[in-house]
Amino acid sequence: MERPPTTEYSHEKMVATITSFYAFLKAMHSTSGGLGKFKYPPPTGWPHITRNHFPYYTKRVVELIRHLPYYDNEGYFVLPDTHLTADGHPRHLPSLTNCDNLDEAELDNTDDEEEYDTDDQEEYDDNGDTEPDYPAYILPLAQGSKYGSSILVDTKYNRVIWWEYWDGCRDIPDEIQSKYWSDCWLSYRKYASERRVGEDGTVKPDVEDDDDDDAEWDRIADRGRKEAWKISAAYAPEDFFEKCKEQFRIMNWMPHLIDGGITELYRHQEFTGENLKMMRILKDARWPGDGEGGGWDKAGAEVAMHKMQQDDIDEKKALEGLVRDKSMKEKFKDIAI
């Protein structure tokens, strides 16, 4: 697939794209049983979010956070084994300790993207810290547990980075994979920087240096988890979230309508047991409906999943009873009465 042209970041488009995906999740997940509701900010953004809450982000990122909707319950997954982060979940704010007294000059420092572009640091302090260190223009929107992933919103290069902790284990059909172009974030960042328009209005020429690229990859590989996100796939925002929707539509990813979780299909495997039952329930309920989370019998599917869960519990209890009765018979079979 030919590399698509680079596009400039748009606050309005990024908010609309993320909001559209959240609306899809809202329509897919259950909202009964106290699991939570979806809340939208007022047109001017969440009033309780200010620059002082996030001195480590650029103004652009803070403005994005101010306009993102959220669930009022953290139990929902947005991708398999992946939840929204605290910063991507505006109801929860970091402590204001040491932030209340920051003046505007100190806050404005975070708007110097080059100064805060930590990827350009030549020296690496190996202090044993394995937590990723993102530039100030990247918002970690969601992160996962062991088998999950991170969704990183790059407001400088207008990308969404999908950092899969177990890259290659998910079953994503070739027809979906090939439809949405992506590049390693490190490579895209280099390409986008070199293609930027100069002050004279001319586009800088492409510069290819495979030796430098190889050296950079080796350096990042040596640092392990701390910088693995840099060599993860970077997508146009609309493409990434549409790709995720497609995985749900074909039921490679399926919602648990009981607890807000998401089941996923791994490469070279098929759904069996409870997961196969869930797939049949969703199909019977006319999923994927209109393709945007609506037009299907979610209430009926939820009732069926609760029944499936109760039937499994009853079956396990019955089997436990049979095993216990058999054990007792074996224990006392030689006792004469």
Side-chain angles (χ1 to χ4, degrees):
M1 181 185 298
E2 183 179 350
R3 178 192 291 270
T6 58
T7 55
E8 294 297 320
Y9 175 82
S10 164
H11 168 77
E12 290 74 18
K13 286 184 178 180
M14 186 65 78
V15 170
T17 299
I18 295 175
T19 300
S20 172
F21 183 62
Y22 286 2
F24 177 90
L25 294 175
K26 174 189 175 184
M28 179 187 74
H29 277 305
S30 171
T31 53
S32 65
L35 276 177
K37 296 181 179 179
F38 205 69
K39 295 188 176 181
Y40 293 89
T44 55
W46 298 110
H48 62 285
I49 293 178
T50 67
R51 296 281 321 279
N52 286 60
H53 290 94
F54 302 99
Y56 42 86
Y57 287 138
T58 62
K59 278 184 180 179
R60 186 178 283 179
V61 171
V62 176
E63 196 61 18
L64 176 60
I65 296 172
R66 276 175 50 81
H67 288 86
L68 288 180
Y70 66 85
Y71 284 113
D72 63 358
N73 183 296
E74 293 184 5
Y76 283 118
F77 285 73
V78 292
L79 295 184
D81 204 23
T82 302
H83 293 275
L84 294 176
T85 64
D87 286 1
H89 203 265
R91 185 169 64 98
H92 300 284
L93 299 175
S95 169
L96 297 184
T97 306
N98 299 324
C99 294
D100 290 331
N101 298 322
L102 290 177
D103 59 32
E104 196 62 27
E106 290 177 289
L107 290 171
D108 281 344
N109 284 335
T110 56
D111 295 318
D112 184 347
E113 291 178 333
E114 301 305 324
E115 180 179 346
Y116 276 77
D117 197 343
T118 55
D119 342 308
D120 290 328
Q121 294 177 355
E122 295 182 0
E123 296 183 2
Y124 173 62
D125 180 17
D126 186 6
N127 56 10
D129 182 12
T130 60
E131 289 304 306
D133 187 16
Y134 305 119
Y137 55 80
I138 286 182
L139 169 66
L141 187 68
Q143 65 183 20
S145 301
K146 182 177 180 181
Y147 297 104
S149 58
S150 285
I151 303 174
L152 312 174
V153 180
D154 182 342
T155 64
K156 181 176 180 180
Y157 297 107
N158 194 36
R159 297 283 102 179
V160 170
I161 304 162
W162 191 23
W163 174 19
E164 298 181 80
Y165 308 153
W166 291 79
D167 189 17
C169 70
R170 292 182 171 83
D171 185 70
I172 302 179
D174 291 340
E175 57 268 26
I176 293 179
Q177 197 77 277
S178 61
K179 191 187 302 185
Y180 303 104
W181 186 89
S182 67
D183 195 3
C184 159
W185 177 81
L186 191 71
S187 300
Y188 183 86
R189 169 178 168 267
K190 178 181 177 182
Y191 172 81
S193 297
E194 291 162 353
R195 294 286 297 173
R196 288 198 164 187
V197 178
E199 294 180 1
D200 59 355
T202 60
V203 177
K204 297 179 181 179
D206 294 345
V207 178
E208 298 291 344
D209 192 335
D210 293 337
D211 291 340
D212 285 351
D213 288 348
D214 291 344
E216 182 75 354
W217 275 64
D218 290 343
R219 182 178 64 84
I220 289 174
D222 289 342
R223 298 184 184 182
R225 176 179 169 81
K226 189 176 181 70
E227 296 198 15
W229 64 272
K230 294 181 181 179
I231 51 178
S232 297
Y235 295 82
E238 300 86 352
D239 285 353
F240 171 72
F241 290 111
E242 187 60 28
K243 178 177 181 176
C244 292
K245 288 180 184 180
E246 292 220 37
Q247 282 289 92
F248 285 113
R249 289 172 189 141
I250 66 173
M251 290 183 284
N252 272 1
W253 298 345
M254 297 188 298
H256 278 272
L257 297 179
I258 300 172
D259 59 9
I262 293 173
T263 292
E264 70 174 319
L265 181 65
Y266 291 102
R267 188 178 294 276
H268 306 310
Q269 294 186 14
E270 295 181 353
F271 282 134
T272 59
E274 181 180 297
N275 292 334
L276 182 59
K277 293 177 184 178
M278 284 177 55
M279 176 180 281
R280 289 170 178 165
I281 288 172
L282 291 174
K283 285 183 177 179
D284 290 344
R286 303 185 305 279
W287 177 263
D290 62 10
E292 289 298 325
W296 66 295
D297 184 12
K298 180 167 66 173
E302 189 171 350
V303 170
M305 284 197 186
H306 276 284
K307 183 178 184 304
M308 177 192 74
Q309 184 183 57
Q310 188 59 51
D311 288 346
D312 287 344
I313 292 173
D314 293 344
E315 184 178 345
K316 287 178 182 178
K317 286 183 177 180
L319 288 173
E320 289 173 358
L322 288 174
V323 171
R324 186 167 53 252
D325 290 346
K326 182 178 180 181
S327 176
M328 292 295 289
K329 289 178 180 178
E330 288 292 325
K331 183 177 181 179
F332 297 107
K333 68 178 181 179
D334 296 326
I335 298 179
I337 297 178

